Amino acid sequence: SWFILIYLDIIDIIDCLIIWLFDPFWLIDELKVQWSWVGMDGATMKVRDLWAHQDLGVFQDSFTALEVDIHATTVIRASPVTV
């Protein structure tokens, strides 16, 4: 089975997660993170791509980064959506 590296930094001051997704083996072009993997089981999160400076939308349970360049990283900020 394949795996990806997920680096996580929890920033309490602004109530969000900074997540680095990295495929070190050139095996996949989609990088997925389940919110449960980072302690946010069942959460709905607003995601922003920090490299592209773009809001990507709101995602329930997981986020998948598409078209990640081989041997590249994707860095996102994920903030809980409050109702």
Side-chain angles (χ1 to χ4, degrees):
S1 69
W2 309 118
F3 70 93
I4 60 172
L5 298 177
I6 298 173
Y7 297 97
L8 170 67
D9 190 9
I10 299 172
I11 301 177
D12 293 329
I13 297 169
I14 56 175
D15 193 29
C16 71
L17 305 174
I18 305 298
I19 302 170
W20 288 262
L21 300 168
F22 175 58
D23 172 17
F25 301 109
W26 304 357
L27 298 174
I28 54 178
D29 60 357
E30 296 180 356
L31 301 178
K32 182 175 186 174
V33 59
Q34 297 280 347
W35 300 141
S36 62
W37 298 348
V38 294
M40 302 295 291
D41 192 27
T44 299
M45 306 286 274
K46 180 179 177 183
V47 175
R48 180 171 178 84
D49 183 324
L50 296 181
W51 289 154
H53 305 278
Q54 293 179 336
D55 290 328
L56 301 178
V58 175
F59 298 85
Q60 176 72 37
D61 297 320
S62 67
F63 169 76
T64 302
L66 303 174
E67 300 179 14
V68 177
D69 290 335
I70 292 174
H71 228 52
T73 60
T74 296
V75 181
I76 60 170
R77 180 181 68 211
S79 305
V81 174
T82 55
V83 180

